[in-house]
Amino acid sequence: SAHTLNIDHPALRNAAIEYFNQSAILPDWADPKLIHGAEQLFYNQAMLSTVVLFNASLPECYVLPSVAEVLHIAGNLEDRALHRIRQTARMIFPVMAAGGLTTPGGQGVPQVQKVRLIHATIRCFLVGGDPEVVARQVAAGEPWRVPSDKSQPETKDLLQAMERAHWEVQRDGLPVNQAELAYVLLTFSHVFNKCAPKLGVRLKRDEQLAYLHCWNVVGHILGIPRDLMADTPEEAEELYEISRRRAREVPPRAADPRPELGAATVSATRSVLPLEVLKPWATLLPQRLCEPWTLQTLALTQPVPLWQHVAYFVTINIFIAIEWFARWFITAGIVPKFVHHVFRNVLLKGLFMSETLPLRLPDGRLNPELDRISSASKKNAWVAELESRKAKSSERQVSSRGH
């Protein structure tokens, strides 16, 4: 609990308490039944969820120029693509786990809170000041140029890379802003709903509504305004296309990082496909699931052998048949449910949820106030305390399962 954090500095302690307490409160409009329905859909369609995440949701994120630029500056996707994808999955799977958002012990809310802090950290570093002050200054027509610290050597370290960067606030707006996050939210909700039929899964309308609703609750925790959220598939498609149309109107940068991000994502997918014969599917799946403009922007238009397309068609139809057969006989209690339990819980949770990466903020780097606070304490005590408590909680959960 944030109330028991061992923080010496009162201002930092109070800020931490307020943030974690307030952001953990679900909105009045959150519907536990709809959230539970989304959790069940995600759980029942575990393979679909994973395929869409790797091959559609993430690629569709990268078409926004400013989002791609942030990832490029961080260097975290080109150099460590699979690690970055697993980081995303480790936020998504606790969120979509049963009770992840709605129960006191659910891990979904802490994961989203961590992501929101990471976004805030990136925003502060890239604009070189308080984002709210910068936004007001730019809105008033005053120039704001972030000095690029070229004295810093080129590095793969996220914080040093951001210090070297030169973010054009007038041209690109605030990095990781609410409008961009609203679009990214749709890539995890609306894109899932759109891609399901392409993979042979026909979602009912109430399932689509539940999935959108659940991710809107996540958006609330992330700080996205309600008026930037969609409640129906029609509203989602409209907002989705507005964001993409605006992205298409942005002139390409001299060094567009998006093709490199696309290549890194395909490479990461190839690395997890077990058989050499399946490797071309790392390119084929995005081509089947993503929008044509996305494929062109990310340079994912490489030709795939015809026999791979045929194999894809046959495989998808086999999965459709298996899905129909399994649903029918599982309902009747004939097919052992433990087979599905093994796949969903052992494979997927072992791959994506075995560890939830701790939040690690730098000492004395966020702003002058934190510099002063950190001079008295070598490490951000509240972060250390949170990490310790989360680790102990995870140990207790593992121990209780063992008994």
Side-chain angles (χ1 to χ4, degrees):
S1 169
H3 289 292
T4 59
L5 289 178
N6 181 22
I7 299 175
D8 294 331
H9 195 282
L12 183 57
R13 181 178 187 277
N14 292 337
I17 291 174
E18 181 179 5
Y19 168 72
F20 284 103
N21 285 347
Q22 291 299 318
S23 61
I25 300 174
L26 299 188
D28 295 337
W29 46 265
D31 187 334
K33 291 183 179 179
L34 290 176
I35 295 174
H36 178 68
E39 294 168 350
Q40 286 295 107
L41 174 61
F42 186 87
Y43 182 80
N44 291 335
Q45 299 294 343
M47 179 59 77
L48 170 68
S49 307
T50 306
V51 170
V52 171
L53 169 64
F54 269 80
N55 300 284
S57 294
L58 292 176
E60 296 290 5
C61 283
Y62 306 150
V63 297
L64 295 193
S66 53
V67 171
E69 186 66 19
V70 169
L71 291 169
H72 175 68
I73 290 171
N76 201 15
L77 191 64
E78 296 102 313
D79 299 324
R80 306 174 66 194
L82 185 57
H83 174 75
R84 175 70 181 83
I85 291 171
R86 281 177 171 163
Q87 278 186 310
T88 303
R90 285 169 182 150
M91 189 268 297
I92 294 174
F93 276 66
V95 162
M96 300 307 298
L101 295 175
T102 56
T103 61
Q107 291 300 303
V109 171
Q111 285 297 309
V112 181
Q113 289 174 318
K114 182 185 77 172
V115 170
R116 185 173 179 178
L117 285 176
I118 293 172
H119 290 166
T121 303
I122 292 173
R123 199 176 298 118
C124 287
F125 267 84
L126 285 180
V127 303
D130 184 336
E132 292 185 3
V133 174
V134 174
R136 286 196 297 268
Q137 186 169 334
V138 172
E142 301 178 27
W144 179 273
R145 295 186 65 83
V146 181
S148 176
D149 187 1
K150 296 301 183 182
S151 64
Q152 293 280 355
E154 290 195 17
T155 175
K156 295 181 180 180
D157 178 78
L158 171 61
L159 300 173
Q160 292 182 11
M162 286 191 290
E163 287 177 348
R164 279 191 100 254
H166 178 75
W167 189 265
E168 291 283 356
V169 181
Q170 280 87 352
R171 181 190 67 187
D172 301 322
L174 292 178
V176 202
N177 60 57
Q178 292 176 332
E180 293 171 355
L181 289 176
Y183 171 79
V184 171
L185 197 71
L186 289 173
T187 65
F188 293 119
S189 57
H190 181 55
V191 167
F192 175 88
N193 288 339
K194 289 182 64 172
C195 288
K198 299 177 182 179
L199 292 171
V201 180
R202 301 290 177 180
L203 299 180
K204 300 176 182 177
R205 184 171 178 84
D206 59 347
E207 291 177 320
Q208 297 180 49
L209 294 174
Y211 210 73
L212 286 170
H213 180 82
C214 184
W215 278 100
N216 284 344
V217 174
V218 173
H220 173 84
I221 302 172
L222 284 172
I224 300 174
R226 187 73 175 97
D227 59 0
L228 292 180
M229 301 177 189
D231 293 315
T232 67
E234 295 76 20
E235 293 176 358
E237 181 66 16
E238 182 180 2
L239 291 175
Y240 184 73
E241 285 304 321
I242 288 174
S243 295
R244 293 171 65 82
R245 184 167 60 250
R246 290 174 177 171
R248 285 193 290 267
E249 294 171 355
V250 176
R253 300 171 187 268
D256 191 345
R258 291 176 292 182
E260 193 172 355
L261 296 177
T265 304
V266 168
S267 176
T269 305
R270 288 179 63 90
S271 71
V272 299
L273 291 173
L275 301 176
E276 189 64 32
V277 69
L278 296 177
K279 299 297 185 183
W281 283 42
T283 301
L284 178 60
L285 281 168
Q287 290 180 356
R288 290 284 183 168
L289 299 177
C290 293
E291 304 286 343
W293 177 66
T294 300
L295 299 175
Q296 294 174 4
T297 303
L298 301 183
L300 297 179
T301 56
Q302 300 89 338
V304 177
L306 177 61
W307 72 269
Q308 286 285 354
H309 288 274
V310 174
Y312 172 87
F313 176 79
V314 172
T315 303
I316 290 300
N317 281 278
I318 290 174
F319 276 128
I320 292 173
I322 292 174
E323 175 68 19
W324 177 87
F325 181 85
R327 282 194 175 192
W328 174 263
F329 284 101
I330 285 176
T331 302
I334 297 176
V335 176
K337 294 184 179 181
F338 77 88
V339 175
H340 292 261
H341 176 82
V342 166
F343 172 76
R344 290 163 179 159
N345 290 277
V346 177
L347 177 59
L348 293 179
K349 290 186 179 181
L351 180 61
F352 293 117
M353 294 177 62
S354 58
E355 50 180 298
T356 52
L357 302 182
L359 171 63
R360 302 191 183 280
L361 298 179
D363 301 338
R365 302 286 292 281
L366 297 183
N367 52 49
E369 174 63 16
L370 196 54
D371 274 340
R372 184 172 63 80
I373 296 171
S374 296
S375 65
S377 175
K378 293 294 184 181
K379 184 175 181 181
N380 296 323
W382 66 277
V383 176
E385 180 72 11
L386 282 176
E387 292 177 3
S388 174
R389 289 180 179 278
K390 286 183 180 180
K392 291 178 181 178
S393 174
S394 298
E395 290 173 1
R396 286 196 297 269
Q397 292 176 5
V398 172
S399 176
S400 63
R401 292 191 190 113
H403 295 296

